[in-house]
């Protein structure tokens, strides 16, 4: 025991000097920095909007990360948003014509995944008639919308809504002479004219400048139309998007403070509680010791995960309440037994006898002579148990039972699993949250290994 | 051996108390402290009222008469369901039933043959969980212990250190976590294994085909389980064996010039085995509980998935039934280990007489 570093500062120094310890510290500090920057890079109101699906509608759904475009530029595309339109207002007798024209360049090698037109219309009493036409680089015009929009925002799902698919069908009929059973507007609109212009595999992309013209005709003079065309790609952001178009980068960033806070607080509180209770039981006397040890047996036998799941199913709880339950269920346990056996050894030592003989109170000996001896070991135990709490939170969120207000890594994984990401190969939705959880647990694991090596001579090199 | 008997009796009493407490806690929690009773009562009263309201003869009765009839029938239905007693008494009845293993009927779940008996439902699932998790635990333990022995012989070598890191790292991640990644890798990208389930639909007609199909579905979860748990075995084995190796009698054996293998198997392994055997016994018992999330991820219809189904439908009898069976198993194992220890370790035999 004499060669062992006793001071806490010294232990931390030794740990930081070892390779595993330094790497562990570095990983956790990186995560901590990410967690601290999260509120700046993605403010809390963005996280609050996680469950508000309208907030994310400009993003493509199920898009891979944008950087895959550099790896294989031939198979990924970005999103093109057209919102700059020129305004032309003319009066023809009793009706007014508002013409908005905008253009964009489509240069990707692959077809868009979806096309959507948003029409923000404002008028006093009588609905205008609005016609939106897309003029392709080859000079052919396609009608995307022809109807009477209501006041406010109108979503024209060109790709999904059969009503608008039919309009594309008319165009196909003019070009090919027949209408296929299933129409894919996002392909037809951006395909070179050929027999296969409705077939993603065989059609060729028509690159060039596309012009969108939106005409609104009304009997009212003060009519306004603000169009916005979104041509969704199949890649977006640093980490891609999920099936509800949410930017996974935001979810991944918000997972960091959640995981770190939950794992660290749960680990520190439970380990310290267990150490103190186990030590106190062993120090006070055989009766208290017996009670504590039997309680520890009891808590080791009860199935904690099923009980936590049960509590979560019956009550919707937030993350702090969950933390309290976790702490309640680990008030005594495996660590209690470790600290007890250490106290049983320490209390036989001469300096404790000496302290007793000069009349120190039992409480004083426990706090000043016994607990400080155990504390170094608790660092390893805390670092070892932190990942299990990170994974506990992830497990509950995976089942859809965590705090519903904030995104967490487990929740992302769970939603990916439920949406079938594993079977459709939406790897970014699985790999990134998994990688984040793995990095945090790796950081804690390396730390615990380093601590163990310092305080536990068995693993030390001579 | 009066001391020995007394020691065992003491352990038996303590374990019995633990068992009762665990089961009673489960009864309380599974019923949410009586909250589920309230839900059931509300449901009964709603159903009875609805049924009566659909009866044309009933709607013609005067208001007071109708109310009286509703009250009467609701009361009868509640008594029939055994909900008329206050929850504290009901919880004690449930405790007694659970401890005597009369598990009763499930509230909602049924076995695949249609039986609502909790015992049938559990017995249908248990073999599947044993097939996956007990096999997996045995394989992981054998592989891990073997690796741990090699590590101990080459302690602090590069191989040993990397094996330690791999062991800790894989053991820290829960099996379901690897399960997700392995499904993506082996099932989606490499297309070697099916992504989940226990049998193809429709199942193969021949018995051999059936067995092969189950084995095919079993492989990936089994690999996952072994990969995620072998680290525990190798790490503990290594540490226990190393500790024994530093004892004086091993040094003495070395000094005698005995070959290294003889020392390892005859001198080191024997005193190191009790804690390892304990771990194996406990792990085998725990393997019967399955693993909730691993079974969800692999869609493996075992005990863990049953637990999840029971919890999400708030099926209290099934939850209590599962817990009580597992608590019994665990406590019987602990007691058997106590007996074996007492028989093997002469110190405990005499200790029993000395302690109190």
């Amino acid at each position: 025991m004499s060669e062992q570093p006793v001071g806490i500062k010294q232990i931390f120094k030794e740990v930081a000097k070892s390779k595993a310890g330094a790497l562990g510290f570095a990983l956790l500090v990186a995560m901590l920095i990410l967690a601290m920057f999260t509120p700046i890079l993605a403010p809390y109101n963005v996280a609050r909007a996680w469950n508000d699906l309208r907030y994310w509608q400009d993003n493509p759904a199920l898009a891979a990360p944008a950087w895959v475009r550099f790896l294989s530029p031939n198979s990924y595309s970005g999103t093109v948003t057209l919102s700059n339109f020129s305004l032309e207002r003319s009066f023809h007798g009793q009706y007014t014509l508002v013409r908005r024209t905008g253009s964009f360049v489509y240069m990707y090698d692959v077809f868009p995944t979806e096309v959507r037109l948003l029409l923000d219309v404002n008028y006093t009493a009588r609905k205008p008639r609005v016609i939106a036409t897309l003029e392709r680089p080859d000079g052919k015009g396609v009608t995307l919308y022809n109807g009477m929009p209501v006041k406010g925002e109108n979503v024209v799902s060109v790709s999904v809504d059969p009503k608008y698919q039919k309009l594309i069908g008319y165009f196909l009929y003019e070009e090919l002479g027949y209408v296929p059973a299933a129409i894919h507007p996002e392909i037809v609109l951006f395909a070179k004219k050929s027999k296969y212009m409705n077939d993603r595999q065989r059609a060729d992309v028509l690159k060039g400048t596309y012009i969108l013209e939106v005409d609104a005709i009304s009997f009212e003079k003060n009519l306004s139309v603000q169009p916005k065309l979104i041509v969704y790609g199949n890649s977006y952001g640093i980490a891609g998007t999920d099936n509800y178009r949410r930017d996974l980068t935001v979810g991944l960033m918000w997972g960091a403070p959640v995981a770190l806070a939950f794992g660290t607080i749960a680990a520190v509180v439970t380990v310290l509680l267990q150490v103190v209770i186990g030590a106190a039981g062993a120090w006070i006397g055989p009766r208290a010791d017996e009670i504590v040890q039997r309680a520890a047996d009891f808590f080791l036998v009860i199935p904690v995960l099923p009980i936590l799941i049960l509590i979560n199913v019956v009550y919707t709880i937030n993350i702090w309440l969950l933390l309290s339950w976790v702490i309640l269920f680990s008030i005594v346990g495996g660590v209690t037994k470790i600290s007890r056996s250490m106290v049983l050894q320490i209390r036989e030592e001469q300096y404790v006898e000496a302290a007793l003989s000069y009349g120190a109170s039992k409480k004083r000996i426990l706090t000043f002579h016994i607990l400080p001896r155990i504390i170094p070991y608790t660092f390893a135990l805390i670092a070892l148990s932190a990942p299990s709490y990170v994974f506990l939170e992830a497990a509950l969120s995976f089942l859809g039972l965590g705090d519903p207000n904030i995104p967490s890594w487990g929740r992302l994984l769970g939603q990916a699993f439920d949406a079938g990401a594993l079977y459709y190969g939406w790897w970014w939705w699985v790999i990134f949250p998994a990688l984040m959880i793995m990095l945090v647990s790796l950081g804690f694991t390396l730390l615990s290994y380093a601590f163990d090596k310092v305080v536990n001579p068995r693993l030390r090199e001579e | 051996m009066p001391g020995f008997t007394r020691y065992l009796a003491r352990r038996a009493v303590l374990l019995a108390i633990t068992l009762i407490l665990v089961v009673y806690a489960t009864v309380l929690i599974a019923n949410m402290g009586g909250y589920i009773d309230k839900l059931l009562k509300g449901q009964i009263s709603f159903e009875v009222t609805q049924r009566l309201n659909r009866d044309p003869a009933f709607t013609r009765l005067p208001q007071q008469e109708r109310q009286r009839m509703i009250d009467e029938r609701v009361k009868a239905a509640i008594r029939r369901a055994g909900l008329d007693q206050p929850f504290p008494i009901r919880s004690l009845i449930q405790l007694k039933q659970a401890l005597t293993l009369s598990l009763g009927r499930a509230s909602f779940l049924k076995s695949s043959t249609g039986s609502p008996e909790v015992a049938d439902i559990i017995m249908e699932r248990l073999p599947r969980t044993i097939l996956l998790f007990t096999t997996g635990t045995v394989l992981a333990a054998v592989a891990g212990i073997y690796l741990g022995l090699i590590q101990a012989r080459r302690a602090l070598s590069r191989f040993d250190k990397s094996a330690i890191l791999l062991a800790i790292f894989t053991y820290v991640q829960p099996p379901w976590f690897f399960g997700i990644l392995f499904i993506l890798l082996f099932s989606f990208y490499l297309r070697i294994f099916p992504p989940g389930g226990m049998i193809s639909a429709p199942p193969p007609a021949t018995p051999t085909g059936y067995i092969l199909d189950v084995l095919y579905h079993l492989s990936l979860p089994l690999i996952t389980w072994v990969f995620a748990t072998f680290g525990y075995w190798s790490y503990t084995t290594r540490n226990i064996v190393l500790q024994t190796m530093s004892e004086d009698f091993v040094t003495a054996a070395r000094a005698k010039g005995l070959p290294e293998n003889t020392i390892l198997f005859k001198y080191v392994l024997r005193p190191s085995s009790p804690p390892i055997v304990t771990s194996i016994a406990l792990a085998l018992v725990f393997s019967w509980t399955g693993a909730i999330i691993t079974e969800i991820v692999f869609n493996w219809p075992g005990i863990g998935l049953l637990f999840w189904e029971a919890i999400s439908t708030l099926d209290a009898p099934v939850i209590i039934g599962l817990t009580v069976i597992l608590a019994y198993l665990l406590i019987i194992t602990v007691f058997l280990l106590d007996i074996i220890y007492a028989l093997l370790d002469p110190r405990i035999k005499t200790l029993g007489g000395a302690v109190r």
Side-chain angles (χ1 to χ4, degrees), chain A residues 391 395 423 427 434 441 445 461, chain B residues 161 168 173-174 177 189 195 293:
Chain A
F391 277 110
Y423 317 114
W427 52 271
S441 73
T445 308
E461 286 126 299
Chain B
K161 278 186 195 163
I168 300 180
Q173 331 268 340
F177 186 75
Y189 284 109
I293 307 182

Side-chain angles (χ1 to χ4, degrees), chain A residues 50 87 170 173 390 420:
Chain A
W50 191 252
L87 174 64
Y170 294 151
Y173 184 75
V390 172

Side-chain angles (χ1 to χ4, degrees), chain B residues 183-203:
Chain B
I183 289 175
L184 190 66
L185 177 65
F186 291 109
S187 179
F188 180 77
Y189 284 109
L190 302 177
R191 309 229 168 239
I192 304 176
F193 297 117
M198 198 184 70
I199 192 86
S200 306

Side-chain angles (χ1 to χ4, degrees), chain B residues 69-87:
Chain B
M69 251 177 104
I70 290 178
D71 288 347
E72 204 172 77
R73 295 210 183 172
V74 167
K75 222 178 207 170
I78 285 177
R79 198 179 310 126
R80 199 161 52 236
L83 291 167
D84 53 338
Q85 274 152 321
F87 179 70

Side-chain angles (χ1 to χ4, degrees), chain A residues 105-351:
Chain A
V105 181
Y106 194 84
M107 292 306 279
Y108 295 110
D109 292 324
V110 284
F111 291 103
T113 50
E114 197 185 340
V115 178
R116 192 184 264 196
L117 176 65
L118 305 174
L119 294 172
D120 200 355
V121 186
N122 211 347
Y123 54 86
T124 319
R126 302 177 69 173
K127 282 183 183 175
R129 170 159 288 271
V130 174
I131 298 168
T133 315
L134 185 71
E135 194 184 313
R136 298 158 30 117
D138 59 4
K140 295 184 200 300
V142 191
T143 309
L144 299 184
Y145 176 81
N146 184 348
M148 317 261 280
V150 295
K151 209 181 259 187
E153 191 174 78
N154 294 264
V155 179
V156 181
S157 319
V158 178
S159 299
V160 188
D161 197 330
K163 197 163 56 184
Y164 306 120
Q165 284 182 348
K166 213 155 92 186
L167 293 176
I168 309 297
Y170 294 151
F171 171 69
L172 269 180
Y173 184 75
E174 276 170 30
E175 297 296 316
L176 305 178
Y178 70 96
V179 180
I183 302 167
H184 305 291
E186 66 280 1
I187 300 165
V188 177
L189 288 175
F190 292 87
K192 280 186 189 150
K193 190 196 161 174
S194 78
K195 238 176 20 191
Y196 305 118
M197 65 191 298
N198 191 32
D199 185 337
R200 186 175 284 272
Q201 257 67 44
R202 291 199 264 188
D204 292 315
V205 180
L206 180 64
K207 296 179 187 178
T209 308
Y210 288 76
I211 301 164
L212 181 70
E213 202 177 78
V214 179
D215 286 345
I217 304 157
S218 172
F219 291 104
E220 290 175 5
K221 282 199 171 71
N222 57 346
L223 158 78
S224 79
V225 178
Q226 180 55 51
K228 183 174 179 185
L229 182 73
I230 309 170
V231 180
Y232 295 98
N234 59 359
S235 66
Y236 179 87
I238 302 171
T241 60
D242 67 4
N243 56 347
Y244 291 121
R245 306 170 186 281
R246 293 182 288 215
D247 185 357
L248 289 176
T249 320
V250 173
L252 289 174
M253 281 170 63
W254 273 96
V258 174
L260 280 184
F262 192 86
T264 320
I265 296 175
V268 169
V269 173
T270 54
V271 168
L272 286 184
L273 269 178
Q274 293 197 12
V275 163
V276 170
I277 291 175
W283 182 237
I284 291 169
R287 184 137 300 179
D289 188 35
E290 184 72 27
I291 292 171
V292 168
Q293 293 313 311
R294 292 294 78 77
D297 283 344
F298 173 73
F299 274 91
L300 283 174
V301 177
I302 53 172
V304 177
L305 184 66
I307 288 174
L308 281 178
I309 293 175
L310 191 59
I311 292 169
N312 269 275
V313 167
V314 177
Y315 307 103
T316 305
I317 63 178
N318 68 23
I319 192 141
W320 302 114
L321 210 57
L322 175 65
L323 191 63
S324 327
W325 279 108
V326 168
I327 291 170
L328 188 73
F329 279 113
S330 347
I331 206 154
V332 282
V335 177
T336 319
K337 296 194 170 259
I338 299 176
S339 89
R340 166 191 188 250
S341 62
M342 290 178 77
V343 170
L344 291 184
Q345 263 177 31
I346 293 169
R347 77 167 179 205
E348 303 300 328
E349 288 190 26
Q350 285 186 339
Y351 78 97

Side-chain angles (χ1 to χ4, degrees), chain B residues 135-141 143 170 221-231 233:
Chain B
T135 319
T137 305
V138 170
L139 288 179
T170 52
L222 195 63
I223 291 171
T224 309
W225 190 258
V226 172
F227 183 73
T229 54
F230 83 92
W233 300 104

Side-chain angles (χ1 to χ4, degrees), chain B residues 27-41 87-88:
Chain B
V27 168
L28 287 183
I29 294 170
N31 286 297
M32 282 310 185
Y35 176 71
I36 305 249
D37 278 14
K38 264 189 214 149
L39 286 183
L40 286 175
K41 274 185 202 164
F87 179 70

